Amino acid sequence: LNGISLDVPEGSIYGLIGPNGAGKTTTIKVLMNIFPPTSGRSEVLEADSRRLGPSQFAQIGYVSENQELPEWMTVGYFLDYLAPFYPTWDQALAAELLRQFQLPLDGKLKHLSRGMRMKASLASSLAYRPRLIVLDEPFTGLDALVRDELIEGLLARAENTTIFISSHDLGEMESFASHIGYLDNGRLRISEELEQLSARFREVVLRS
C-alpha cells in the first residue's frame, strides 16, 4: 500500500474495488489489526487500529473469503459458542437469520457448500448487531442466486450499520454501495460517492 487516505462515513456502504493483487485484503487486514502498518495510521470506531481490543471487536463483524471455521461444529453449536463473546448478541435475530438463510442447525460446517458457509459466517456476524461490518471478497466463487441472497440478508439486517466491503467486480457493488474506492497497485485512485462517480462517466457507443 502506498499513501492511501480514505474516510468511510458512518452508516455508509463503502465498496473497495480493484483487480486481484491491488491491495484490498492488505488494507482490510491493516484496519483489523491483523497486519501492523509500517507507517501512517488508521482509526476504526474512534480507536487506533493497532490498539483494537475486545470492546471494539465486539462491535465489528468480519467475514473473509478465506475465513477458517471450526469445521467439526454444527451450525447451531457454532452460533451458541459465539454468543457469550458478544454482549449485544440477539438470540431472536440469530434464529431469524438461520431461517432466512435456510441454514441447517444440525449440519456440520465442513459439510456445507461454500455458499452456505458464507451464509453461516454472515449470520454469525450480524447476530450481535455490529456497528461495523467488514467483508473481504465475500462473493468470490458464488453463483448469482447465493450472492443476491447474501446481499439481501445483509441490507435487511444492517440498516444502521457501516459496511466496508471489498470486491474485484464493480458490477457487484453498483446495486447497493453508496461509496466507491478504486485501488490499483497499492494506490487509491478514486474515493467518492457512487452517485457522483456515475455522473462523471458515460458509456459512448458509436454505430456506423
Side-chain angles (χ1 to χ4, degrees), residues 30 41 44 51 65 101 112 139 149-150 161 163 166 188 190 198:
V30 168
R41 64 190 303 271
V44 178
R51 293 177 174 82
E65 95 176 274
F101 290 144
L112 299 183
F139 308 130
E149 288 175 348
L150 286 172
T161 302
I163 300 172
S166 73
L188 191 66
I190 294 171
S198 298

Side-chain angles (χ1 to χ4, degrees), residues 10 37 145 156 187 206-207:
E10 188 172 356
L145 180 60
R187 293 179 180 272
L206 300 178
R207 292 189 173 89

Side-chain angles (χ1 to χ4, degrees), residues 87-104:
T88 56
W89 186 276
D90 187 331
Q91 200 64 43
L93 176 57
E96 289 179 19
L97 289 164
L98 286 171
R99 288 192 295 269
Q100 180 175 356
F101 290 144
Q102 298 181 323
L103 287 163

Side-chain angles (χ1 to χ4, degrees), residues 6-128:
L6 65 86
D7 178 55
V8 179
E10 188 172 356
S12 67
I13 303 175
Y14 191 105
L16 184 66
I17 64 169
N20 293 331
K24 302 185 298 298
T25 294
T26 300
T27 300
I28 286 175
K29 288 187 174 182
V30 168
L31 292 173
M32 294 293 97
N33 197 24
I34 298 172
F35 292 164
T38 52
S39 63
R41 64 190 303 271
S42 59
E43 290 185 358
V44 178
L45 300 182
E46 299 86 42
D48 188 316
S49 66
R50 294 168 295 186
R51 293 177 174 82
L52 292 179
S55 63
Q56 287 82 32
F57 284 122
Q59 303 175 72
I60 299 172
Y62 174 63
V63 178
S64 168
E65 95 176 274
N66 297 316
Q67 191 166 349
E68 294 186 12
L69 299 176
E71 295 188 336
W72 60 272
M73 289 186 183
T74 64
V75 172
Y77 188 93
F78 177 54
L79 295 182
D80 289 341
Y81 171 80
L82 292 175
F85 292 99
Y86 299 95
T88 56
W89 186 276
D90 187 331
Q91 200 64 43
L93 176 57
E96 289 179 19
L97 289 164
L98 286 171
R99 288 192 295 269
Q100 180 175 356
F101 290 144
Q102 298 181 323
L103 287 163
L105 269 176
D106 297 331
K108 285 195 174 183
L109 293 171
K110 68 179 179 181
H111 294 147
L112 299 183
S113 66
R114 172 170 168 72
M116 294 298 277
R117 287 166 64 91
M118 291 302 297
K119 288 180 181 181
S121 295
L122 184 57
S124 71
S125 295
L126 291 173
Y128 49 94

